[in-house]
Amino acid sequence: MTSREIRQQFLDFFAGKQHTIVPSASVVPTDDPTLMFTNAGMNQFKDVFLGTGSRSYTRAADTQKCIRVSGKHNDLEEVGRSPSHHTFFEMLGNWSFGDYFKREAIAWAWELLTEVWGLPKDRLHATVFGGDAQDGLGADEEAERLWKEVTDINPAHVSRHAKKDNFWEMGATGPCGPCSEIHIDLTPDASGAKLVNADDPTVMELWNLVFIQFNRDATGALSELPAKHVDTGMGFERLCRILQNKATNYDADVFTPLLDHLGQITGVKYGGSPDNKVDVAFRVIADHVRMLTFSMADQAKPGNEGRGYVLRRILRRAARFGRQHLDQRDPFIYELVDTLVQTMGDVFPEIGTHQARIKEVIQDEEESFGRTLDRGLALYEQVTEAFRSWDSNAMQWSGAPAGAQGAFERVWNKQAEFSFTRAIVQAGDLEEVATAKRVWNDAEDFRRKTGIALSARSALRWSLDHALVPSEVAFVLYDTHGFPIDMTQQMAAERGLTVDVKGFEQLMEEARAKARAAAKTHAEIVFEGHLPATDESPKYESCTCTAKVLGWVEQSSLKADGRLTDADGEVGLVLDRTSFYAEKGGQVGDAGTITTPTGTFDVDDTIYIGDGIIHVGHVGDGYLQADQQAQASVDPARDHTRRNHTATHLAHWALRQVLGDEVTQQGSLVDDTKLRFDFDHRRPMSRDQIEEVEKLVNERIYHNLPVATRLLATDQAQKLPGVRAFFGEKYGDEVRVVEIGDGFSREFCGGTHLASTGEVGFFKIVSEEAVAKGVRRMVAVTGREAIEYVLAADRHLREAANMLNTSPDQLAERVAALQKEIKDLKKKAASGAVQDIKALRAELADNAEELAKGRMVVAEIPDVSVPLMRELIDWMRARFESAAICVASRSEAKAILLASFTDDLVAQGMKAGDLVRQIAPIVGGSGGGKPTLAQAGGKNPDAIPQALDKAREMLREMLS
């Protein structure tokens, strides 16, 4: 049977049992913030199991798209090595919501497996829950009996197992129940009974039948549910492997089309070896392209945080395996999307609907990562080679005394080699001086070879353990080359090494603390002399053009001899003409590729130096020489930049219509994701003004007005009606004028634009804020980005409305009513708190501890405001002639401490500020104040009792 037939037979079987066949839920959960990805078939029915939702049917079946890459179900590291682990997989499942229960679930599972699919009965085993004394539960004798009653399974193949394997729980509280798993014995002689639930690949779980019959409350106690449910799950890929009699999941026809296509792309044949690095790479890539395609079809996209970061990690992991083991230097993963759509698009049409976009995103990500991967891999090889020359005798340093190591680190950090010996000698460890100096010299040699400076800690640890990759290496690979830590760990493991992950995490934390800018940076290109003028007219006509290589800027001069290779690093390539736009007027410089007969140059940015244009980047492949013919190709992302630039002109016009002619541009940024426009205006824009600007811009977009450019003499252009010229710009004899429609928008502009406004698609303002006194900043998106923004906003609106049991159009009214209700409740609570504090202060006064120099009041009081706490202290100060007071309260998961001394005690040298400074660290905070009154706050309210104990101890000593 083919996988398509197997899937359909499952659905048809349960349709014949009166089940509603439901579509798979999105693999990107839209209504469950606890999940990054849908990881089980039951996710879409979670509300039914929790009793917060219902369905129009009581029986359901489906094939659910699932992703497991993070959290409890993290299968990522096993993918490629294991024959059955995947990041993306289908889960076949059937459900009963208060309808049938164990009898039917067991009988139907057996019927499908043995009668429809013909699996050998003597190789199937069933497990049942064996009971748990802590929960007060006995064995699931009902399931055990039913297996023997409604099926003809060998009774000896039904076994009891512990809670760990055979009891399912949704979470710490909520629905739960015993489960019964069906395992298949793949040992040659069917002798694997003892391997059931032993995590042995020759006896594997095939189907899990969960019987949801209990509810666990907050105390951990279990109670019977009034309605009992069934939730089953069976891995589709694993099932196909079994029914097609294959050695691994990857040998089944779910994966073979992808593996065959990958073989065609790479010219390498997949061999199916479990350990061969080439075959592992095949499996990794085939798995990961499935995860990427299905997640992107459900609107996930690569990024730097959360779900987006996971996608980027997966994509880069696949690219790294392809580059390192299959010699794939150009983007190739995106090509596999077509095969996936051909084989699975009929079952999951969304991947076909978004096919073009998915391919484009994957290809863009591959190209971006490819620019850093070679350099990162080369660095890692450099590191490995440098470590090989590390003085092996240093390994004999079995650990110097703490004093010697401390001195070692102090001297190391000062980079004072000349005093190194003296420091070690002073530490009293003469025998280790020679070995310690070898460590120093080896680390210096390592720095010269790799450019990576090791800390004293890393140098010492490497000397003692040559199998531990220093944290600095992992950090440089991550920070400079975009290698996720798991990728570095993977490369290290392939050489029998481990990575100092703890040290890496410390370096990451230090980097975050420095809050380095995330914006793209490039090496400063310095040039002395005259750079030839570049003909840049092609940039207005096309994204490609032919040109000639004039040379490259290196060491402040234009070099035109020899070869330019990747060893030269980042340089500025110079052509006689270019289709690349150099950064100017707010529009970012283009990226792309320049190709010659002998190599390619990856352009990361394009800038002006005088009248010349510099293409900043590095050689991606081969080499370049001066006087070669070249093909300059701009990244397709420029189309999105053009869209945003034309929209910027429309927005500028609309702002003047809404806010008045005094609006003047103060700056802008236009790239492929957004437009940013700074303008002088003294007040925040109102919601109505923002909506009016959006309305005006979108009306001009819908009219699909022509966008025309003219090159005019500057003095002639300045006479055009309504033309706008901008701050700080110097214009030559000629200027380009961009006109929209009948000239309602007319600006001097050298940027690239659309042919008509309709190509903008849609315009949406996403923020408006102050950036300086009298200067506002508007950020907007267009086209696809704008549509995604509006859809997300609409989704959030509806989610909020659903949470408040109202409709989206009545949400504001509902929120206003809730705000009024909260305000009224706070007012009542404050009134009650005043009465409570009056009673409390009297009680505290009556119980004040009398000491030699005055009374002492130390207490934790209920959650009250700071003003009420101060009122209590003032009352105490008035009540007693001599008193020391320290009170604490919890407020919004924070600790609040107040201390006070009466004036006579202050005259004796006691200070409230000194007291709170001593006790505040106990609650994880700090504070201070006047001698008579001081305040502190902390992040750990649970430590208030310990802080007050310390206060009592200090005050008793002061007042005794």
Side-chain angles (χ1 to χ4, degrees), residues 75 89 140 452 536 664:
D75 291 342
F89 62 97
D140 189 356
I452 300 176
E536 57 183 314
T664 303

Side-chain angles (χ1 to χ4, degrees), residues 107-132:
W108 291 339
W110 188 256
E111 178 186 349
L112 180 57
L113 291 177
T114 63
E115 296 182 22
V116 176
W117 286 331
L119 288 178
K121 298 175 183 179
D122 62 335
R123 286 185 174 271
L124 296 178
H125 294 256
T127 65
V128 297
F129 176 54
D132 185 79

Side-chain angles (χ1 to χ4, degrees), residues 337-603:
V337 175
D338 293 336
T339 299
L340 192 60
V341 172
Q342 290 170 10
T343 57
M344 301 186 71
D346 58 333
V347 182
F348 302 103
E350 61 273 19
I351 64 174
T353 301
H354 300 287
Q355 180 176 356
R357 177 179 61 82
I358 294 168
K359 290 180 63 178
E360 179 183 351
V361 171
I362 293 177
Q363 184 177 9
D364 286 348
E365 286 285 323
E366 287 188 87
E367 290 173 346
S368 174
F369 187 44
R371 286 192 284 268
T372 62
L373 195 55
D374 275 339
R375 284 173 287 173
L377 291 171
L379 174 63
Y380 191 80
E381 294 300 329
Q382 220 175 352
V383 166
T384 304
E385 184 60 35
F387 276 139
R388 288 196 185 101
S389 62
W390 196 283
D391 187 346
S392 61
N393 291 330
M395 292 179 65
Q396 304 304 315
W397 192 15
S398 58
Q405 290 197 23
F408 181 74
E409 292 197 20
R410 285 195 299 276
V411 176
W412 185 288
N413 293 334
K414 292 179 181 178
Q415 299 292 303
E417 193 273 341
F418 66 89
S419 62
F420 183 80
T421 302
R422 183 187 308 168
I424 296 293
V425 170
Q426 289 175 351
D429 194 8
L430 299 175
E431 295 180 2
E432 304 298 346
V433 172
T435 306
K437 289 204 70 172
R438 278 199 297 273
V439 175
W440 175 284
N441 292 332
D442 283 336
E444 282 295 289
D445 184 57
F446 180 81
R447 181 187 60 78
R448 286 191 293 269
K449 290 177 178 178
T450 67
I452 300 176
L454 298 179
S455 67
R457 172 181 174 274
S458 291
L460 286 167
R461 292 192 69 181
W462 175 258
S463 297
L464 298 172
D465 182 3
H466 272 33
L468 185 70
V469 176
S471 56
E472 290 85 357
V473 173
F475 181 76
V476 170
L477 286 170
Y478 174 86
D479 190 57
T480 305
H481 301 284
F483 279 57
I485 183 65
D486 65 291
M487 184 180 292
T488 303
Q489 289 176 293
Q490 169 72 24
M491 293 191 297
E494 290 169 1
R495 291 171 171 80
L497 306 175
T498 57
V499 178
D500 180 7
V501 176
K502 183 177 180 181
F504 169 79
E505 291 172 349
Q506 290 176 345
L507 292 174
M508 286 293 295
E509 191 58 39
E510 291 171 11
R512 294 187 192 101
K514 293 177 182 177
R516 291 184 299 175
K520 178 182 69 176
T521 61
H522 57 76
E524 183 180 2
I525 303 295
V526 179
F527 182 77
E528 297 175 0
H530 177 69
L531 192 68
T534 307
D535 175 13
E536 57 183 314
S537 59
K539 70 184 181 185
Y540 297 114
E541 302 163 2
S542 173
C543 287
T544 63
C545 77
T546 57
K548 184 172 74 172
V549 177
L550 299 182
W552 50 93
V553 175
E554 187 177 279
Q555 297 180 347
S556 304
S557 62
L558 182 63
K559 185 176 180 180
D561 59 317
R563 293 180 174 181
L564 178 64
T565 70
D566 60 351
D568 293 299
E570 193 169 60
V571 300
L573 190 67
V574 182
L575 306 177
D576 65 338
R577 61 198 303 266
T578 185
S579 54
F580 282 70
Y581 182 88
E583 181 177 357
K584 189 176 183 182
Q587 181 173 329
V588 297
D590 282 335
T593 305
I594 296 170
T595 306
T596 74
T598 60
T600 60
F601 186 86
D602 296 330
V603 181

Side-chain angles (χ1 to χ4, degrees), residues 29-302:
T30 59
D31 55 357
D32 189 347
T34 67
L35 283 176
M36 180 174 287
F37 295 103
T38 297
N39 59 22
M42 56 75 58
N43 290 160
Q44 66 168 307
F45 301 118
K46 188 175 178 180
D47 60 326
V48 179
F49 297 139
L50 290 171
T52 59
S54 62
R55 300 292 186 274
S56 60
Y57 44 82
T58 58
R59 300 181 179 187
D62 80 346
T63 177
Q64 172 64 49
K65 303 173 292 186
C66 297
I67 289 177
R68 292 183 181 177
V69 289
S70 58
K72 177 182 177 183
H73 299 293
N74 187 348
D75 291 342
L76 180 58
E77 292 309 312
E78 292 299 317
V79 173
R81 298 187 181 90
S82 163
S84 58
H85 277 79
H86 308 292
T87 56
F88 172 87
F89 62 97
E90 289 181 64
M91 184 175 285
L92 303 174
N94 60 287
W95 290 269
S96 166
F97 309 123
D99 191 331
Y100 63 85
F101 201 43
K102 297 180 183 179
R103 175 179 291 273
E104 294 85 352
I106 291 172
W108 291 339
W110 188 256
E111 178 186 349
L112 180 57
L113 291 177
T114 63
E115 296 182 22
V116 176
W117 286 331
L119 288 178
K121 298 175 183 179
D122 62 335
R123 286 185 174 271
L124 296 178
H125 294 256
T127 65
V128 297
F129 176 54
D132 185 79
Q134 185 175 353
D135 280 335
L137 293 176
D140 189 356
E141 295 178 353
E142 180 186 7
E144 186 177 45
R145 173 179 55 79
L146 287 169
W147 271 110
K148 300 172 183 178
E149 179 181 314
V150 303
T151 77
D152 56 352
I153 191 172
N154 181 345
H157 285 195
V158 181
S159 54
R160 296 182 180 185
H161 293 264
K163 177 180 177 180
K164 177 178 71 73
D165 294 311
N166 280 81
F167 195 88
W168 176 89
E169 301 194 59
M170 182 179 292
T173 61
C176 54
C179 60
S180 181
E181 297 175 340
I182 304 171
H183 295 248
I184 186 165
D185 182 353
L186 301 177
T187 59
D189 56 355
S191 61
K194 62 182 180 299
L195 299 176
V196 172
N197 268 342
D199 198 26
D200 189 291
T202 61
V203 180
M204 66 172 64
E205 175 196 335
L206 192 57
W207 202 346
N208 189 11
L209 315 179
V210 178
F211 308 124
I212 304 174
Q213 62 186 94
F214 301 111
N215 183 70
R216 189 182 295 278
D217 64 23
T219 69
L222 295 174
S223 59
E224 288 273 349
L225 286 170
K228 296 177 173 59
H229 312 297
V230 171
D231 165 23
T232 86
M234 176 163 49
F236 175 65
E237 293 77 7
R238 185 175 294 184
L239 174 66
C240 290
R241 163 196 174 180
I242 299 301
L243 293 180
Q244 295 177 2
N245 195 28
K246 300 297 183 181
T248 74
N249 294 6
Y250 292 94
D251 298 317
D253 69 350
V254 179
F255 285 96
T256 50
L258 288 171
L259 296 172
D260 290 344
H261 188 186
L262 183 55
Q264 294 170 8
I265 293 172
T266 62
V268 179
K269 186 174 177 60
Y270 175 64
S273 167
D275 303 317
N276 182 276
K277 292 179 180 179
V278 169
D279 291 338
V280 169
F282 264 83
R283 292 190 289 270
V284 166
I285 295 163
D287 171 89
H288 287 7
V289 75
R290 283 162 40 98
M291 182 272 186
L292 294 166
T293 299
F294 278 92
S295 58
M296 290 185 195
D298 284 340
Q299 304 309 308
K301 56 185 178 181

